[in-house]
């Protein structure tokens, strides 16, 4: 990176535009930036940093924004910094303008212009500048990318603040670590330490969780095993926990197996005793059953003897019923024939009565009267029915003609209804279409009005948010205007107080200097030399005057002055903040009064609400207009269709009238004097049906009489052959199905009971059991129950032992599996714990107890010390060498030690023992070495322009020459070095100079020797 030109306007102490030609200054390789204290030497470096990064270095960052503006600048001059430089082979120009207060173009007061930034690049082929960006963020990212370092790194390696490196030389390891950590960004190594510590805690928690589960299984195994198992002593996380749990589980499983073998033996003995008791019980129960069976058979035999007479009567009744069953078919046939004969006679009487009803109501016409059919047989009635059916068949065509007449009448009625409907449609359509123009105009007017309201609402919606922001800014402006007056008053008061306190301190300081002789004389002792003149005799020492000011009084006044200055600085800062906020609010709100803006905002909201309300009818108006247009089209179509239907109806009506005249003549002839052909047809249908029914009924009655006579003859013959005197006797001997089943059931029961009793009394075992003493099944049951209880107890004991062994086996297997799963987790925990302790510096393997981040920083510090030593040896004429030390410091850990080796004594000592001049050139060498290392770390960006700030006044002439030779040697690498100092001797030694001249109207820059 090489600087070419810097333009400063209204920045810091510079009220007008000042230019620095770095190309001319860099031609000499070494140039001097000098001027009186407070003239603005550091402000030149601040301008370079501000142009690159948009902020100034270090503690001066509080002076950002409008505080960067020069108090000497005219009101209309904008603060601006423009820097032209070459970096990464590209020639760039960066222009930055911080926010500033300017007079309003209209009206009174001030307004704030926002900060602006420009980035341009020189195009060598076109010979002109081209714009790249105007975004603060984009330009900041681009500059940091090209330089390869942050603002802090740039300020550390380009501006080289010597005071910081002097403190760095004397600092402890922790302070050095913070600075090196910022420059080399070693946070990732600290993150590694943190990550390993987190993993160590996580793996330890998982191991402890597994051990806790293992101990829980051990507790459950102890509950199962009882006294046969003792719980292990180790706690979760102890290495020997797994072996202790597995050993105790093995002992418990062995004891459980022994208990199970004993339970098996006891169960076998109980099963044998239980089998013997069950056998004795079965024998007792069988003897009791046989004895009871024999006694019951004897009682049943006695009851059969008592019922023998009734059994014989049942047998005789069953025999008569079996004979009567041979006559039953003839009886059933005769009853059916008699029933059928009665039903046929009744049907014949009903049919003849219905035929009489037909004649009585005048249904017969030309077919004789009712007397002609009273005695007629089946054949005569059937012939009359055929004649009526033939006449009915001839009426089919007439009936179709009559139905067609009805259809024609309905169709003509439909044509009339359609004609009336079309007339209504035409009348409504004409009336509606007559008012169409007025309707359409009204709907279009509504639509246009709603559309205009929607457009107005959109326009007002765009104005609402800016109006709200402007109103909020106006309210903030009013509030800040009141705050500004208070802040200005406080700043004025604190400024006067600071000036008064400083004047008071200066007065006291002047009085003390005037009486310093008396203060020195107070320490004189006869015989001892004077600190001023060296004389051992003091003939006339000065005496303290009245009101003498001592050092303590002066120090109190100085402290009060400093406190007043701090209060004034704070009040000025708060005043600037209020001004900046007020300017921003004023820029947003303008000069319009808040009440007026509130009224305008309220009026805008009302107008917006009214426009939205009117615009809400837009959709309804569009829909209504669309429906009206659709209805108009439908009305026109309906009117056209009605005209077409009217022409069609006229033709159809003429056709229907001709057809109706022909059909009416045909129907009149077929009606036969009745109201309609249908009535005539119905009359003939009823007559034919009645005649047919009567003929069928007469024929059925004659057949039923013949079947009844034949059934009487068959019944008499069957009763005689069955041995009954009359058919009535046979009918009396018959049994209905229920009585027959009951009688047969009594007979079968008797036989079964008799056979069963004989069989039981004939059984040898039952007879032999009856001869033995009575059985005792209750005693045998008691003995069997006792044996079964002993068996259950033995089985329960065996099952409990088996469950205990199975549960112990299961828990032991789970414990073994848990130990197997925990093995890799425990190994991982051990490995991670070793790594975490090693990187944290707490491990015994880490001999120097050095953290990982400290180790990396130590390596960087070693590189810096090596690079610094090259220049330090030249500056110190080969006497001093900087070395890094990793000796343990503080809490026994290795730090970031930095020692100096003195070639004259051959000893290594701490850098804090260096004198003031030695500290300066040692810190300068360290700063240059650190710049080289950080530059290489940042990607090798070449830094062709460096600045060194103060510290040369502490060097003697010879050392100053050696230091300047080292700095002048940087030209060999095509570098230029700017020395910032007010040492007068440097103005004689360095010819290229940039002088800062201080004046009442602001500072100015002058270049000399170029």
């Amino acid at each position: 990176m090489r600087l070419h030109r810097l333009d400063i306007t209204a920045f810091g102490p510079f009220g007008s535009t000042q230019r620095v030609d770095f190309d001319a200054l860099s031609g000499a390789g070494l140039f001097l930036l000098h001027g009186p204290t407070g003239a603005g030497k550091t402000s030149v470096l601040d301008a370079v940093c501000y142009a690159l990064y948009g902020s100034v270095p270090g503690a001066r960052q509080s002076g950002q924004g409008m505080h960067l503006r020069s108090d000497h600048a005219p009101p209309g001059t904008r603060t601006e910094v423009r820097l032209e430089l070459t970096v990464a082979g590209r020639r760039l120009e960066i222009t930055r303008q911080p926010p500033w207060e300017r007079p309003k173009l209209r009206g009174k007061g001030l307004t704030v212009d926002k900060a602006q930034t420009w980035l341009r690049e020189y195009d060598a082929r076109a010979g002109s500048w081209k714009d790249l960006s105007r975004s603060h963020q984009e330009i900041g990212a681009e500059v940091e990318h090209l330089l390869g370092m942050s603002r802090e790194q740039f300020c550390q390696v380009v501006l080289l603040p010597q005071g910081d490196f002097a403190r760095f030389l004397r600092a402890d390891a922790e302070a050095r670590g913070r600075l090196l950590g910022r420059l080399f960004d070693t946070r990732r190594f600290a993150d590694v330490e943190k990550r390993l510590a987190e993993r160590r805690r996580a793996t330890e928690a998982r191991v402890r969780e597994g051990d806790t589960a293992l101990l829980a299984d051990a507790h459950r195994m102890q509950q199962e095993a009882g006294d046969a198992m003792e719980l292990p002593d180790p706690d979760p996380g102890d290495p020997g926990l797994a072996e202790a749990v597995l050993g105790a589980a093995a002992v418990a499983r062995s004891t459980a197996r022994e208990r199970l073998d004993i339970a098996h033996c006891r169960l076998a003995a109980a099963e044998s005793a239980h089998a013997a008791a069950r056998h004795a019980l079965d024998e007792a129960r069988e003897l009791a059953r046989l004895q009871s069976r024999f006694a019951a058979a004897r009682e049943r035999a006695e009851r059969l003897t008592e019922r023998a007479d009734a059994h014989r009567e049942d047998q005789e009744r069953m025999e008569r019923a079996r004979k009567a069953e041979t006559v039953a078919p003839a009886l059933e046939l005769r009853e059916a024939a008699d029933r059928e004969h009665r039903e046929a006679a009744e049907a014949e009487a009903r049919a003849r009565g219905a035929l009489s009803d037909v004649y009585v109501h005048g249904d017969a016409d030309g077919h004789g009267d009712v007397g002609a059919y009273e005695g007629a047989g089946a054949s005569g009635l059937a012939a009359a029915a055929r004649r009526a059916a033939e006449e009915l068949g001839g009426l089919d065509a007439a009936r179709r003609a009559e139905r067609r007449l009805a259809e024609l009448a309905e169709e003509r009625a439909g044509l009339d209804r359609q004609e009336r409907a079309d007339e209504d449609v035409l009348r409504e359509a004409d009336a509606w279409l007559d008012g169409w123009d007025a309707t359409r105009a009204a709907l279009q007017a509504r639509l246009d009005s709603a559309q205009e309201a929607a457009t107005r609402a959109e326009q007002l919606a765009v104005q609402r948010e800016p109006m709200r922001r402007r109103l909020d800014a106006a309210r903030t402006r009013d509030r800040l205007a009141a705050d500004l007056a208070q802040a200005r008053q406080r700043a004025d008061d604190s400024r006067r107080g600071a000036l008064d306190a400083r004047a008071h301190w200066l007065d006291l300081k002047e009085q003390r200097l005037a009486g310093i002789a008396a203060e020195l004389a107070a320490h004189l002792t006869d015989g001892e030399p004077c600190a001023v003149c060296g004389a051992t005799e003091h003939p006339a020492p000065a005496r303290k005057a009245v009101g003498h000011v001592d050092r303590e009084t002066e120090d109190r006044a100085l402290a009060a002055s400093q406190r007043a200055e701090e209060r004034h600085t704070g009040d000025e800062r708060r005043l600037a903040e209020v001004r900046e906020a007020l300017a921003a609010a004023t820029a947003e709100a303008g000069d319009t009064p808040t009440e007026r803006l509130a009224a305008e905002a309220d009026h805008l909201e009302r107008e917006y609400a009214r426009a939205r309300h009117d615009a809400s009818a837009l959709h309804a108006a569009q829909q209504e207009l669309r429906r009206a247009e659709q209805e108009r089209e439908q009305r026109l179509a309906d009117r056209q269709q009605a005209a077409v239907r009217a022409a069609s109806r006229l033709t159809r009506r003429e056709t229907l009238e001709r057809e109706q005249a022909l059909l009416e003549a045909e129907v009149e002839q077929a009606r036969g004097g009745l109201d309609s052909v249908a009535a005539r047809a119905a009359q003939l249908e009823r007559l034919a049906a009645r005649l047919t029914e009567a003929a069928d009924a007469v024929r059925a009655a004659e057949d039923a009489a013949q079947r009844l006579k034949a059934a009487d003859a068959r019944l008499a013959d069957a009763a005689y052959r069955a041995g009954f005197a009359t058919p009535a006797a046979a009918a009396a001997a018959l049994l209905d199905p229920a009585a027959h089943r009951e009688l047969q059931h009594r007979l079968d029961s008797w036989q079964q009971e008799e056979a069963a009793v004989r069989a039981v009394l004939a059984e040898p075992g039952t007879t032999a059991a009856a001869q033995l003493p009575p059985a005792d099944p209750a005693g045998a049951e008691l003995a069997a129950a006792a044996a079964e209880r002993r068996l259950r107890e033995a089985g329960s004991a065996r099952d409990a032992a088996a469950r205990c062994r199975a549960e112990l086996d299961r828990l032991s297997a789970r414990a073994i599996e848990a130990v197997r799963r925990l093995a890799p987790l425990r190994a991982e925990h051990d490995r991670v714990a070793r790594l975490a302790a090693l990187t944290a510096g707490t491990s015994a393997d880490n001999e120097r107890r050095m953290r990982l981040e400290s180790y990396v920083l130590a390596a960087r510090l070693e590189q810096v010390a090596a690079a610094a030593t090259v220049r330090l040896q030249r500056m110190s004429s080969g006497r001093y060498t900087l070395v890094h030390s990793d000796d343990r410091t503080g809490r026994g850990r290795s730090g970031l030690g930095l020692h100096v080796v003195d070639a004259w004594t051959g000893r290594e000592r701490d850098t804090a023992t260096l004198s003031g001049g030695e500290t300066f050139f040692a810190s300068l060498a360290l700063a240059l070495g650190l710049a080289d290392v950080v530059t290489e770390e940042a990607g090798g960006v070449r830094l062709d322009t460096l600045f060194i700030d103060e510290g040369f006044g502490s060097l003697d002439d010879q050392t100053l020459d050696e230091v300047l030779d080292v700095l002048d040697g940087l030209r060999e690498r095509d570098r230029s070095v700017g020395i910032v100092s007010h040492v007068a001797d440097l103005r004689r030694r360095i010819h290229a100079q940039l002088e800062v001249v201080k004046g009442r109207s602001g500072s100015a820059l002058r270049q000399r020797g170029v």
Side-chain angles (χ1 to χ4, degrees):
M1 180 199 73
R2 178 178 292 277
L3 304 182
H4 299 293
R5 180 173 52 87
L6 175 66
D7 294 331
I8 306 173
T9 302
F11 182 88
F14 305 106
S16 59
T17 300
Q18 305 294 321
R19 170 169 293 188
V20 181
D21 188 352
F22 285 110
D23 287 336
L25 292 172
S26 301
L30 192 65
F31 63 92
L32 176 66
L33 175 59
H34 68 94
T37 301
K41 300 186 295 297
T42 306
S43 296
V44 176
L45 306 183
D46 289 348
V48 173
C49 185
Y50 181 74
L52 291 173
Y53 293 97
S55 60
V56 296
R60 297 187 297 278
Q61 292 184 50
S62 59
Q64 298 293 326
M66 291 182 290
H67 298 283
L68 296 176
R69 178 171 175 78
S70 174
D71 294 333
H72 303 287
T77 302
R78 175 88 189 240
T79 302
E80 180 180 276
V81 176
R82 179 181 291 111
L83 176 65
E84 186 179 335
L85 74 160
T86 297
V87 59
R90 300 169 61 185
R91 186 152 183 159
L92 304 175
E93 182 189 76
I94 306 172
T95 303
R96 291 188 186 270
Q97 294 179 349
W100 72 301
E101 287 183 340
R102 62 168 177 83
K104 295 181 180 178
L105 299 179
R106 279 177 275 181
K108 298 181 180 180
L110 300 175
T111 184
V112 176
D113 279 353
K114 297 181 180 178
Q116 299 186 47
T117 307
W118 294 270
L119 176 63
R120 300 197 302 170
E121 182 175 5
Y122 184 74
D123 188 347
R125 289 180 296 180
S128 60
W129 293 90
K130 63 177 182 180
D131 293 333
L132 296 182
S133 176
R134 297 193 62 175
S135 170
H136 303 293
Q137 291 77 12
E138 291 180 1
I139 294 174
E142 181 70 13
V143 169
E144 189 164 341
H145 170 70
L146 292 174
L147 292 177
M149 60 185 74
S150 64
R151 180 181 59 81
E152 290 78 8
Q153 290 175 317
F154 176 83
C155 295
Q156 201 72 42
V157 302
V158 176
L159 303 184
L160 299 182
Q162 291 306 297
D164 290 350
F165 281 95
R167 287 190 295 273
F168 182 81
L169 280 173
R170 296 185 175 92
D172 56 9
E174 184 178 357
R176 289 196 185 107
R178 286 197 297 270
L179 174 62
L180 294 174
R182 289 197 306 270
L183 293 178
F184 295 105
D185 191 15
T186 56
R187 290 191 303 270
R188 59 187 184 277
F189 299 103
D191 293 340
V192 170
E193 298 176 22
K194 182 180 178 181
R195 176 59 178 162
L196 285 173
E198 291 175 352
R199 286 194 59 190
R200 177 185 61 77
R201 290 191 293 271
T203 54
E204 182 181 5
R206 293 168 63 187
V207 170
R208 291 182 65 85
E209 182 180 353
D211 287 348
T212 301
L214 187 62
L215 275 177
D217 288 340
H219 280 286
R220 286 193 285 271
M221 284 189 282
Q222 186 191 38
Q223 292 175 358
E224 292 292 338
D227 298 336
M229 180 179 177
E230 295 181 359
L231 283 179
D233 295 333
D235 295 327
D238 293 345
L241 177 63
E243 290 76 6
V245 171
L246 294 181
V251 174
R253 289 200 307 274
S254 176
T255 304
R257 283 195 295 270
E258 294 176 359
R259 290 177 179 177
L260 181 61
D261 294 339
I262 295 173
H264 274 300
C265 294
R266 291 177 178 174
L267 178 61
E271 287 176 346
S272 177
H274 178 262
R278 291 297 301 178
H279 182 68
L281 176 62
D282 293 340
E283 289 181 349
R285 287 176 175 173
E286 180 62 18
L287 178 59
R289 185 186 68 79
L290 291 176
Q291 290 175 348
S292 175
R293 180 179 176 84
F294 182 80
R298 292 294 298 270
E299 293 178 0
R300 290 163 64 189
E302 293 175 357
R303 287 196 297 271
L304 288 174
T305 302
E306 293 174 356
R307 291 187 289 129
D309 295 339
H311 176 62
R312 284 193 294 273
E313 291 178 359
D314 289 341
Q315 287 178 330
E316 292 175 355
R317 186 179 178 189
M318 179 59 74
E319 183 64 25
R320 288 196 303 273
R322 290 196 184 96
K323 291 179 180 180
E325 287 178 356
T326 60
V327 186
L331 284 171
E332 294 176 357
L333 183 60
R334 199 277 175 189
E335 290 177 357
D338 183 60
R339 185 169 57 255
E340 184 179 356
H341 179 263
R342 288 196 303 274
E343 292 175 354
E346 293 175 357
E348 179 183 3
R350 286 196 301 273
R352 289 187 182 277
L355 186 60
S356 300
D357 292 339
V358 173
Y359 282 106
V360 168
H361 291 87
D363 288 340
D365 185 18
H367 298 284
D369 54 12
V370 66
Y373 298 104
E374 287 183 356
S379 57
L381 295 173
R386 285 195 296 275
R387 290 195 300 274
E390 291 173 357
E391 185 177 354
L392 179 62
L395 294 178
D396 288 342
R399 279 190 294 187
R400 286 194 297 273
E402 189 174 42
R403 285 195 299 272
R404 179 57 183 162
L405 282 174
E407 294 173 357
L408 292 176
E410 181 62 28
E411 187 173 357
R412 290 187 63 183
L415 291 175
D416 294 338
R417 289 192 300 272
Q418 189 180 50
E419 182 176 7
R420 290 191 298 272
D422 286 345
E423 290 175 353
D424 294 339
V425 168
L426 288 173
R427 187 166 50 256
E428 292 178 2
D430 291 340
W432 194 91
L433 291 173
D434 289 342
W436 162 245
D437 293 336
T439 301
R440 189 180 187 285
L443 292 176
Q444 187 63 44
R446 286 177 54 194
L447 179 62
D448 294 342
S449 176
Q451 184 65 51
E452 292 175 359
T455 303
R456 188 168 64 258
E458 293 177 358
Q459 296 171 349
L460 294 174
V462 175
Q463 302 173 15
R464 291 173 66 226
E465 186 60 28
M467 177 57 74
R468 279 200 293 266
R469 290 198 302 269
R470 191 177 176 192
L471 178 58
D472 293 341
R475 289 168 177 164
T476 304
R477 178 198 63 196
D478 296 345
R479 176 176 54 79
L480 292 176
D483 295 344
L484 180 62
Q486 298 177 1
R488 184 180 292 112
Q489 181 63 39
R490 285 196 298 270
D492 292 341
D493 294 342
S494 62
R495 179 176 58 81
R496 286 191 295 269
L499 291 176
D500 293 342
R502 182 172 179 82
H504 178 63
W505 168 63
L506 292 175
D507 291 341
L508 293 179
K509 182 177 180 69
E510 186 176 356
Q511 294 176 23
R512 181 170 176 264
L513 290 175
I516 195 67
E519 187 173 337
L520 292 173
H523 300 284
L524 294 176
T525 304
D526 291 338
E528 294 182 2
C530 175
V532 178
C533 63
T536 57
E537 294 181 1
H538 317 294
R543 299 287 183 237
K544 292 184 180 180
V546 178
H548 175 74
V549 178
D550 57 7
R551 183 180 184 85
E552 182 179 359
T553 303
E554 180 189 353
D555 290 342
R556 286 199 301 271
L558 175 60
S561 175
Q562 291 174 344
R563 288 195 299 273
E565 186 64 31
E566 290 174 357
R567 284 195 297 273
H568 174 58
T569 301
D571 290 340
E572 286 290 342
R573 183 169 57 253
R574 285 191 292 274
L575 175 60
E577 291 172 353
V578 173
R579 282 177 177 171
E580 184 176 356
L582 176 60
T586 305
E588 180 72 25
D591 299 330
T592 306
T594 305
E595 294 76 9
R596 181 178 173 184
L597 288 177
E600 291 177 359
D602 184 59
H603 177 69
L604 179 61
E605 289 294 334
R606 290 196 301 274
E607 288 296 321
Y608 176 68
R610 186 181 302 108
R612 285 197 60 186
H613 178 270
D614 295 341
S616 63
L618 176 61
H619 180 71
Q622 290 173 342
Q623 293 293 328
E624 190 170 356
L625 179 58
R626 190 178 299 111
R627 287 194 297 270
E629 290 175 346
Q630 292 173 354
E631 184 174 1
R632 175 178 176 274
E633 296 297 329
Q634 185 63 40
R635 296 278 187 177
L636 292 173
D638 292 345
R639 188 168 63 177
Q640 183 178 2
Q641 291 173 3
V644 172
R645 287 195 299 270
S648 176
R649 278 196 305 272
L650 182 60
T651 303
R652 181 60 179 166
R653 194 185 299 277
E654 293 175 355
T655 303
L656 293 177
E657 289 176 354
R658 288 195 299 270
E659 185 179 2
Q660 183 178 8
L662 295 174
L663 292 176
E664 286 178 349
E666 181 181 356
V667 169
E668 183 65 26
Q669 182 179 1
R671 225 170 22 218
L674 295 179
D675 295 336
S676 64
V677 176
R680 178 59 178 169
Q683 181 188 60
L684 292 176
E685 286 176 356
R686 288 195 297 273
L687 178 59
R690 297 291 191 276
L691 290 173
T692 301
E693 291 175 0
D696 293 341
V698 170
R699 190 178 296 110
E702 292 175 352
D703 294 340
Q706 292 296 327
R707 287 193 293 275
L708 178 59
K709 184 176 180 181
D712 286 338
R714 284 196 294 273
L715 177 59
D717 183 60
Y720 176 74
R721 285 198 299 272
F724 293 99
T726 62
L734 281 174
L735 295 174
D736 56 29
H740 186 276
R741 285 195 299 273
E742 182 182 359
L743 181 59
Q744 186 64 45
H745 177 68
R746 291 201 299 270
L747 293 174
D748 294 341
S749 298
W750 173 274
Q751 291 177 357
Q752 292 172 1
E753 182 71 8
E754 185 181 19
V757 169
R758 285 199 302 270
V760 172
L761 295 177
E763 292 175 353
T766 304
T767 305
Q771 305 301 322
L772 296 175
D776 185 14
E781 286 181 356
L782 292 176
E788 184 175 3
R789 183 173 60 257
R790 290 190 294 272
L791 176 62
R792 284 197 304 270
E793 292 174 353
S796 299
R798 192 276 313 270
D799 293 342
R803 283 194 304 272
C804 177
R805 178 181 176 182
E807 184 65 13
L808 288 175
D809 290 342
R810 184 184 69 81
L811 293 174
S812 297
R814 192 163 77 175
I816 294 172
E817 178 63 20
V819 171
R820 184 186 64 79
R821 287 196 309 269
L822 278 173
L825 292 178
R826 199 181 299 279
E828 179 185 5
H829 170 62
D830 294 341
R831 183 174 63 256
V832 172
R834 285 197 301 274
L835 284 175
L838 187 63
T839 57
T842 58
S843 172
D845 297 333
N846 191 334
E847 296 179 358
R848 298 187 180 278
R849 302 191 67 185
M850 184 181 292
R851 293 173 52 244
L852 177 61
E853 185 180 14
S854 299
Y855 176 78
V856 175
L857 292 177
R860 291 288 187 263
L861 183 58
E862 190 173 4
Q863 293 176 346
V864 171
T869 296
V870 176
R871 297 183 177 88
L872 179 59
Q873 287 182 340
R874 290 187 60 188
M875 294 179 186
S876 62
S877 301
R879 179 180 179 182
Y880 292 120
T881 301
L882 280 176
V883 295
H884 162 253
S885 173
D886 54 6
D887 293 338
R888 297 183 179 181
T889 61
R891 295 185 299 176
R893 297 193 181 187
S894 295
L896 299 172
L898 192 63
H899 292 174
V900 61
V901 178
D902 190 344
W904 290 2
T905 62
R907 293 188 177 184
E908 180 178 320
R909 55 193 174 95
D910 194 271
T911 55
T913 62
L914 294 173
S915 65
E918 291 171 342
T919 299
F920 167 71
F921 61 69
S923 63
L924 177 59
L926 185 64
L928 293 173
L930 182 62
D932 292 340
V933 175
V934 173
T935 300
E936 182 180 356
E937 179 75 12
V941 177
R942 182 176 176 83
L943 301 176
D944 297 322
T945 305
L946 300 176
F947 294 92
I948 302 175
D949 189 1
E950 285 299 345
F952 292 87
S954 60
L955 303 179
D956 57 48
D957 292 342
Q958 181 181 355
T959 305
L960 180 60
D961 289 338
E962 292 174 350
V963 170
L964 292 179
D965 288 342
V966 171
L967 295 178
D968 192 54
L970 294 175
R971 288 188 297 174
E972 299 174 1
R973 302 173 62 183
D974 197 21
R975 283 184 175 180
S976 62
V977 178
I979 298 176
V980 183
S981 177
H982 51 66
V983 176
D985 194 35
L986 288 176
R987 292 197 291 273
R988 178 180 57 82
R989 295 170 181 261
I990 302 176
H991 300 289
Q993 299 178 11
L994 177 62
E995 182 181 6
V996 184
V997 181
K998 181 168 63 172
R1000 288 184 175 273
S1001 59
S1003 298
L1005 297 175
R1006 290 187 298 194
Q1007 293 187 205
R1008 295 180 178 179
V1010 295

